[in-house]
Amino acid sequence: MKPRDEKNFELDEPAANNHTPPGWPLQTIEVVPNGKAPKKYGPSTYRFGAALTLSVILPRRGWTLVKKAKNYVYLTPPLNQPPPPFRISIAIPTPDECLELAQRSYVKGQSWIGQLGEWPAWYLHERNTDMQELWRDPITGQMLSRLHKNPPKSSLTIGEWGVWEANVTGVAGEFVHGVLPPSLVKASATSDGTYESALSEGASKTVELTVYERNATARELCLAHYGSTCQACGLNYEDKYGSLGADLIHVHHVTPLSAIGEAYQVNPIHDLIPLCATCHHVVHRRDPPYSVAEMKAAIASQSARNSALIE
């Protein structure tokens, strides 16, 4: 695909002035009503969604516009119109044309809204997509927040959901088909020339990690003192799973090794504590980690609330 000269791209180009822009093939699409309009509008009047589009393209094909609202439109078909679903012929841009329009809009560097062919269209340039995550700390009840930084994203939409719609999303001028962030979208052509998005998992990658050495003897001495029971919730894997759970327990560093940052003399009784996998996960939901005393208090408080609900 060779993009046209971006200097010639304006909203009054042929795609905006021509019902059948150059290079847009005519296709037959189905237009399905949501049902009949109220009886007072006549026995042959139908209700449709996609009011922005259908209130324009159907009257051009002989339909009568009876009423238009923000989210719906009432239309009466011409005489001798076959029953629904109704079929119309209309010019639709190819996937490559959609990408080209998005790329040329990106070069211009500004958002716009208008009409391309017979379709409403709009382009949003480099929107801020940072996300603020809010949650309540399950132990303290305090509201916490975290800002997730994302690169600015641009998007082009042509058409309207409920009739036909194309969505193109991009970062730094690199566009793909789909409404998801481009890092999550894999554009692939199907047999009919349309595009679908796929989410994939399982790819391998190389990462750098800082690994802190654990002392196996310190773990053994810790368990010899405390046993293999979680010191926060009391779970013992062997009691629950039999021999499958024998000696299965996490050993938690009261002060994280990452916070110490160097080798030190560990005290297996004061510096280590056995925790089940769930409690070990919960204590590390905060930095610094929750103490075992805080965990016990949270468990007791929740248990009391549950008992009150049962009573």
Side-chain angles (χ1 to χ4, degrees), residues 62-104:
W63 289 61
T64 301
L65 176 61
V66 177
K67 179 182 179 181
K68 179 185 177 183
K70 181 178 179 180
N71 298 317
Y72 66 89
V73 62
Y74 294 158
L75 290 151
T76 303
L79 296 176
N80 302 320
Q81 174 72 43
F86 304 110
R87 292 176 174 82
I88 62 172
S89 179
I90 190 169
I92 291 179
T94 64
D96 280 355
E97 177 74 10
C98 294
L99 288 173
E100 180 181 329
L101 287 166
Q103 289 165 346
R104 291 159 61 203

Side-chain angles (χ1 to χ4, degrees), residues 231-245:
Q231 298 301 295
C233 72
L235 174 65
N236 184 291
Y237 284 108
E238 187 171 9
D239 290 345
K240 186 170 185 177
Y241 299 104
S243 60
L244 293 177

Side-chain angles (χ1 to χ4, degrees), residues 10-80:
E10 301 291 346
L11 281 182
D12 62 354
E13 66 174 74
N17 286 335
N18 194 328
H19 293 170
T20 309
W24 289 28
L26 285 174
Q27 297 189 31
T28 299
I29 63 173
E30 288 189 349
V31 179
V32 182
N34 296 335
K36 287 291 191 71
K39 292 182 179 179
K40 66 178 181 179
Y41 294 105
S44 301
T45 301
Y46 292 88
R47 174 187 171 119
F48 296 87
L52 182 65
T53 301
L54 295 181
S55 63
V56 175
I57 66 175
L58 289 184
R60 288 176 181 159
R61 289 159 174 80
W63 289 61
T64 301
L65 176 61
V66 177
K67 179 182 179 181
K68 179 185 177 183
K70 181 178 179 180
N71 298 317
Y72 66 89
V73 62
Y74 294 158
L75 290 151
T76 303
L79 296 176
N80 302 320

